[in-house]
Amino acid sequence: MAKVETLAAQEQSSSVKKMLRRGGSISFLINSSGMALALLMQVMLARMLGAAAYGTYAFVSTVVTFLVFPTKLGFDTSIVRLVASYRAMNEWGFIKGLLRRANQIGMALSMTAMILGAVYLIFSSDSMTTERVVTYAAGLATIPLLTLATLRQSVLQALKDVLFSQMPEKIVRPIITMAILACWIGLFGNEADAGVAMISFAAAVAISWVIGAVVLRKRIGSQIEAVEPRYDTRSWTKLSVSLMLNAGMYLILGQLGVLMMGMMHSETESGLFSAAVRLATLAAFALTAVNMTAAPMLSELYATGKRKQLQHVCQTSGFSGFVFAAMLMVAFAAGGKLLLGLFGAEFRASYWPMLIMTFGQVVNAYCGQNGMMATMTGRQNALTKALIVSTILNIVLNVALIPLIGMIGAAIATTVGLVCWNVIMVVFVYRKMGILTVAWLPKRAWNRLLEAAPVPSVSGSETVQSGKEG
């Protein structure tokens, strides 16, 4: 009997690894291509615009990113969790209702954010150059489409359609942005500034949104067309708002340094630091790529009480993400100045901030799926508390260190905040769920910890109800 159970466990483990390998490979390919295109686009922008104009473009892009996140109200994360659970239970009526309600709320909030931003821009335009006004106006115009595109991407991710959930944003959008800029300069012989760059990006957002909307309709149109929508708006909203708080703090932890560099020093230095942030974030891209497949799997496996498979998903995805992050840090240490030099000679000044933040991403990858485990299993409130502590620490360190040591201070603040919440959540997930999310430990220590881990009761209802703390 024990031998049969062992064989069954091995088969299940093999099945989990195959799913992660297949989905992760597609996601890795898309993200690799997207990473290369994103880097090429940033280099192209920095070269074409110069440090000052690129700083304006990067600063406005960050402002738009901060404006977009509340308009999603956290539905981008809750959709992944809820659709995966509803699909496992064949509840297509709830899926249809959830998508309809999420898009309605997202559109209303994004239009409100865009209008309020436009009003502020009108009253502030006298103190701005024409270039900055155009850049802000074009950036604000992208808010509704960026919101809806993110919600659509979440649906396809929950359905494990890794390719089409990412292709419009990762591949199509940067290609179109660069093509428009190339035509503007090469064919028409015009000079580019931050405003032209943001208009090109806005056009690319619109085109990629149309492509994504068509893909989503073809992907699930037949399943939801004939069913009546079912709604649980109050529960969905409660869950989504909780997840939005986490998303907001993720955003602050990752991008606050860019904003504060712009406000406390200059937009030019904000642009230099933004390049370092973008490069350092690449260290986490392998873990992010695997997450596209792992996130819905975590929700489904938890809903069906398959604890061993949960552990396999965390271990497999965490290890691959950590190896990539560690290798990239070595590459950055050796060739980081050369890479930053592609943006322009001024950008080499952000070499050490880039390395400091890359180290933070290595620790993040080593800690694995702790945040995703909490989010996908109804324990997002614990993650919120950890993120609040880290966000406060990040803000305090930014305020204290940026005036003293500039970009180095912002990099230290970003890294300390990132490491802080990861360590807290690794301990929490292990103690409360019996799941060890770290990428690697000596085999003897790993086995000892797993044997001593608590075995929580698993209830599928937790994955589709909001605010339920495990």
Side-chain angles (χ1 to χ4, degrees):
M1 185 66 177
K3 187 175 181 179
V4 172
E5 291 179 352
T6 301
L7 288 173
Q10 289 175 347
E11 289 179 0
Q12 290 172 342
S13 173
S14 177
S15 176
V16 166
K17 289 180 179 179
K18 284 180 181 178
M19 291 179 66
L20 275 175
R21 192 179 299 117
R22 183 175 62 250
S25 296
I26 296 173
S27 184
F28 190 88
L29 179 61
I30 293 292
N31 274 272
S32 297
S33 303
M35 177 182 70
L37 288 170
L39 180 59
L40 179 61
M41 186 176 80
Q42 296 306 318
V43 170
M44 180 178 177
L45 288 172
R47 286 288 188 179
M48 289 180 174
L49 305 182
Y54 179 78
T56 299
Y57 174 86
F59 184 78
V60 173
S61 296
T62 304
V63 171
V64 170
T65 300
F66 271 86
L67 291 175
V68 166
F69 104 82
T71 67
K72 299 175 292 187
L73 204 67
F75 274 101
D76 55 322
T77 305
S78 65
I79 281 174
V80 177
R81 174 172 148 188
L82 293 169
V83 169
S85 297
Y86 286 142
R87 189 189 185 200
M89 294 181 284
N90 204 32
E91 294 280 5
W92 287 98
F94 275 120
I95 292 177
K96 184 175 184 178
L98 172 62
L99 303 191
R100 181 175 294 180
R101 187 68 77 235
N103 278 282
Q104 290 169 346
I105 293 173
M107 177 58 77
L109 292 177
S110 61
M111 291 298 294
T112 300
M114 183 180 71
I115 292 170
L116 291 175
V119 171
Y120 175 81
L121 181 61
I122 290 171
F123 283 101
S124 304
S125 59
D126 291 341
S127 61
M128 294 184 181
T129 64
T130 301
E131 178 184 4
R132 292 189 69 198
V133 171
V134 172
T135 306
Y136 273 101
L140 291 171
T142 65
I143 292 176
L145 292 183
L146 287 172
T147 300
L148 296 180
T150 306
L151 297 178
R152 183 262 311 153
Q153 187 177 32
S154 297
V155 179
L156 291 172
Q157 180 185 351
L159 297 173
K160 300 191 184 77
D161 196 336
V162 178
L163 178 63
F164 287 107
S165 68
Q166 300 178 79
M167 184 179 290
E169 282 69 42
K170 300 281 187 180
I171 306 298
V172 176
R173 186 185 293 173
I175 288 176
I176 294 176
T177 301
M178 289 187 289
I180 293 173
L181 275 172
C183 289
W184 178 260
I185 296 173
L187 296 182
F188 301 109
N190 298 315
E191 292 185 0
D193 58 17
V196 172
M198 190 60 73
I199 290 172
S200 302
F201 174 75
V205 168
I207 295 170
S208 62
W209 176 81
V210 171
I211 294 172
V214 171
V215 170
L216 178 61
R217 183 172 182 81
K218 290 185 176 181
R219 181 69 173 81
I220 63 170
S222 59
Q223 285 95 333
I224 66 174
E225 187 174 4
V227 300
E228 286 295 319
R230 299 176 64 186
Y231 297 96
D232 190 6
T233 303
R234 183 177 179 181
S235 176
W236 295 338
T237 304
K238 184 179 179 182
L239 169 63
S240 298
V241 169
S242 175
L243 296 176
M244 182 189 70
L245 295 176
N246 293 348
M249 284 179 282
Y250 279 131
L251 181 61
I252 291 172
L253 287 167
Q255 297 293 327
L256 182 64
V258 177
L259 278 181
M260 294 193 72
M261 285 299 302
M263 292 185 292
M264 299 176 73
H265 276 247
S266 68
E267 289 186 359
T268 300
E269 287 199 49
S270 175
L272 300 180
F273 187 71
S274 175
V277 170
R278 291 177 186 275
L279 289 175
T281 304
L282 295 180
F285 112 92
L287 187 63
T288 302
V290 177
N291 277 350
M292 297 298 292
T293 301
M297 288 180 67
L298 293 175
S299 180
E300 290 180 14
L301 292 171
Y302 186 77
T304 52
K306 297 177 179 178
R307 179 175 173 271
K308 288 185 178 181
Q309 286 90 325
L310 274 174
Q311 182 63 65
H312 284 305
V313 170
C314 290
Q315 183 178 354
T316 303
S317 58
F319 183 76
S320 61
F322 170 65
V323 170
F324 178 86
M327 291 174 61
L328 197 65
M329 182 170 182
V330 172
F332 281 173
K337 289 185 178 179
L338 181 63
L339 184 60
L340 286 165
L342 296 176
F343 290 82
E346 310 98 316
F347 288 85
R348 293 193 180 97
S350 59
Y351 171 75
W352 284 109
M354 179 191 68
L355 278 189
I356 292 170
M357 290 184 289
T358 303
F359 172 76
Q361 293 294 346
V362 172
V363 177
N364 172 48
Y366 176 79
C367 290
Q369 302 283 3
N370 52 78
M372 190 65 69
M373 275 292 298
T375 300
M376 292 294 118
T377 59
R379 291 171 170 85
Q380 66 276 352
N381 291 345
L383 178 60
T384 301
K385 294 173 185 176
L387 289 172
I388 287 174
V389 172
S390 298
T391 300
I392 292 172
L393 185 60
N394 186 326
I395 293 171
V396 170
L397 288 175
N398 267 306
V399 172
L401 296 178
I402 287 178
L404 296 176
I405 47 179
M407 288 189 289
I408 294 287
I412 291 172
T414 300
T415 299
V416 170
L418 182 61
V419 171
C420 178
W421 74 259
N422 267 285
V423 172
I424 292 172
M425 289 309 299
V426 166
V427 175
F428 173 84
V429 171
Y430 175 74
R431 288 183 175 178
K432 295 296 183 180
M433 305 179 64
I435 301 296
L436 195 57
T437 64
V438 296
W440 179 86
L441 281 174
K443 188 174 182 180
R444 184 175 298 178
W446 186 283
N447 290 336
R448 188 182 300 120
L449 285 170
L450 290 181
E451 288 172 2
V455 182
S457 59
V458 177
S459 171
S461 62
E462 286 182 294
T463 63
V464 294
Q465 293 176 7
S466 63
K468 187 167 183 178
E469 194 76 26

